[in-house]
Amino acid sequence: MTPGRVTFKTMTTEHLNDAVELSRHVGWPHRREDWELMQSLSQGLVVQEEGRVVGTILMTPYGDDAASVNMVIVDAAMRGRGLGRKLMEEALTKAGERTCYLVATQEGLPLYEKLGFVVTGKIVQHQGMAPSADAPAHVSWGEDGDHARLVALDCAAFGHDRSALMNSLCERAKFAVIRDAGDVQAFAAIRRFGRGLVIGPVVARTLHEARCLIDFLLADSAGEFVRIDTNESTALGEWLIRRGLAHVGGGVTMRRIADEPKVEIRSHQTYALVSQALG
């Protein structure tokens, strides 16, 4: 069969139904609502063959100095034609001099390394039915006046301004918080995603605080399907398994610094548990 002509177009909401189908074909759980959130925060591209979406990519900016590259998908029948590389090159052009982050599959590693990305860690995904758990007494639900503090803590933990993402999450998620002297010092978000709920981001000062925040959210979600993606370095895996959330896969975290003098700044007083809040 002769391949059809392919075109690259800016992603709009008109492409989202096809994007949902494409992500389902590769086994990803994203609903149209999940795509809508990511597309609203991002600059996206689609590849079309004869009007059919056969590839997608999103570049999500975090202020002027960082971005994440998400939803890099090429239809299985279209692979081997250089479409993935072209999508990545277009996304990196949109990112400009921003430091770029992504979570790679093993299959995607060679391409990303050729484009200047380096491995920084590993994401492990846990999911399952939330168990009945006791909610820690010192954890509570966030309040309307907490928003600015949540944004500030997220920025301190992640090292970049994700205020646009946090603004969207505050409209869609519930936040568990830990307070000291009335001020929020740690938080975790939970929202609808895929086949159930997803926990993230989680920002805490200690591993104990992170576990307490997660337990609080699990207690509120008992009997529902829950997913959480954590960095392997947090050493939460065995604890999550004991909570009934099985290890079901993950990916490799990567970073590309376009301008070498730039450095990633992290606070030493906050601990970022989940950085890939878009899932």
Side-chain angles (χ1 to χ4, degrees):
M1 182 181 293
T2 302
R5 187 173 71 90
V6 297
T7 57
F8 289 76
K9 294 184 178 180
T10 298
M11 183 184 292
T12 70
T13 55
E14 295 179 357
H15 299 120
L16 294 186
N17 285 340
D18 284 348
V20 171
E21 288 303 311
L22 191 62
S23 58
R24 286 176 178 168
H25 288 164
V26 295
W28 295 359
H30 300 70
R31 309 164 302 159
R32 181 183 168 95
E33 294 90 335
D34 304 321
W35 271 98
E36 286 174 346
L37 169 60
M38 293 183 292
Q39 191 266 335
S40 70
L41 296 167
S42 307
Q43 299 176 39
L45 286 171
V46 298
V47 185
Q48 290 184 304
E49 181 190 44
E50 307 299 332
R52 181 176 67 94
V53 173
V54 295
T56 62
I57 197 167
L58 296 174
M59 187 282 294
T60 309
Y62 302 135
D64 296 327
D65 64 345
S68 65
V69 180
N70 309 291
M71 307 308 289
V72 186
I73 310 174
V74 175
D75 187 288
M78 302 295 291
R79 294 171 190 169
R81 297 173 58 177
L83 299 181
R85 185 183 185 100
K86 178 63 173 175
L87 284 168
M88 283 296 302
E89 290 173 344
E90 293 289 338
L92 293 175
T93 296
K94 290 179 179 294
E97 295 303 307
R98 292 179 173 90
T99 296
C100 290
Y101 300 87
L102 59 77
V103 178
T105 62
Q106 288 295 325
E107 293 80 5
L109 272 175
L111 170 60
Y112 302 140
E113 289 175 337
K114 289 176 183 177
L115 292 172
F117 283 84
V118 296
V119 173
T120 58
K122 184 178 179 181
I123 290 291
V124 289
Q125 183 184 130
H126 290 263
Q127 63 185 37
M129 305 306 291
S132 297
D134 294 328
H138 67 294
V139 182
S140 61
W141 291 113
E143 301 171 357
D144 290 342
D146 294 332
H147 177 65
R149 179 62 176 163
L150 299 179
V151 172
L153 287 174
D154 181 80
C155 184
F158 186 63
H160 302 289
D161 176 15
R162 300 199 300 179
S163 55
L165 169 61
M166 291 296 293
N167 289 343
S168 291
L169 291 182
C170 282
E171 296 175 358
R172 295 168 171 82
K174 296 194 297 183
F175 287 81
V177 301
I178 294 174
R179 301 178 190 274
D180 282 349
D183 289 333
V184 175
Q185 300 296 338
F187 74 86
I190 189 168
R191 61 184 170 91
R192 289 287 162 191
F193 173 84
R195 59 183 287 196
L197 298 164
V198 64
I199 294 174
V202 178
V203 173
R205 295 168 294 183
T206 66
L207 189 59
H208 175 71
E209 281 189 341
R211 289 174 173 174
C212 288
L213 288 162
I214 295 168
D215 265 346
F216 183 88
L217 296 177
L218 291 177
D220 184 68
S221 309
E224 293 208 61
F225 182 85
V226 174
R227 165 182 164 176
I228 181 168
D229 298 353
T230 73
N231 195 295
E232 187 178 50
S233 64
T234 63
L236 275 169
E238 291 301 319
W239 180 82
L240 288 169
I241 290 171
R242 292 197 298 272
R243 287 294 188 270
L245 303 183
H247 177 203
V248 295
V252 178
T253 58
M254 306 189 78
R255 180 179 64 192
R256 177 181 186 267
I257 301 178
D259 185 359
E260 287 299 335
K262 288 184 179 179
V263 294
E264 183 181 4
I265 299 173
R266 284 185 179 271
S267 166
H268 294 293
Q269 297 179 343
T270 47
Y271 164 69
L273 172 62
V274 179
S275 61
Q276 295 295 322
L278 286 176

